[in-house]
Amino acid sequence: EVQLQASGGGLVQAGGSLRLSCAVSTFTFDDYAIGWFRQAPGKEREGVSCISNTDGSTNYADSVKGRFTISSDNAKNTVYLQMNSLKPEDTAVYYCAADFSSWCGLWPIEQDYWGQGTLVTVSS
């Protein structure tokens, strides 16, 4: 069983920054790709970014490339999402998820475990 705990959401003005954290409880952290997903009101859940803990490869949605950075601290079993230059359209509940795979993808259906969400609100 893998448990994920997301934190770090909050209210920020447009152009500001936030860092989300995802603490992962598992003895085999390196076997999982960890991803960040978001869901805005009335919209489907979408992939934002992911990182493979096998080889460190990353993937980003086009909408966040150049603004968001994902990183992993294997000693702490924690994945971070640094979000800069935030826009009102980034407002959503952000979820982290784990995929038992060496390759990371941005499709929610592929994820094996989900954490609870953390709300990010970007005001204009």
Side-chain angles (χ1 to χ4, degrees):
E1 181 71 21
V2 178
Q3 295 182 334
L4 301 97
Q5 180 76 33
S7 61
L11 173 63
V12 64
Q13 289 187 332
S17 298
L18 280 175
R19 188 177 80 157
L20 304 183
S21 299
C22 177
V24 184
S25 298
T26 176
F27 290 110
T28 57
F29 185 69
D30 290 355
D31 291 339
Y32 288 88
I34 305 298
W36 285 99
F37 299 80
R38 66 186 181 187
Q39 188 165 19
K43 295 187 177 181
E44 292 186 354
R45 192 169 297 189
E46 63 175 357
V48 175
S49 182
C50 61
I51 185 166
S52 164
N53 284 315
T54 301
D55 63 7
S57 58
T58 59
N59 203 356
Y60 294 91
D62 288 343
S63 59
V64 306
K65 282 181 181 177
R67 300 189 298 123
F68 291 11
T69 303
I70 193 169
S71 61
S72 182
D73 186 335
N74 289 40
K76 296 182 178 180
N77 279 20
T78 300
V79 172
Y80 304 97
L81 185 68
Q82 179 66 43
M83 306 187 295
N84 298 329
S85 302
L86 282 161
K87 305 176 181 179
E89 51 263 43
D90 294 318
T91 295
V93 176
Y94 284 70
Y95 301 88
C96 57
D99 179 15
F100 186 69
S101 173
S102 59
W103 178 84
C104 81
L106 296 178
W107 295 274
I109 196 171
E110 294 185 337
Q111 309 309 306
D112 298 308
Y113 301 95
W114 290 88
Q116 92 297 351
T118 185
L119 177 63
V120 172
T121 304
V122 184
S123 63
S124 57

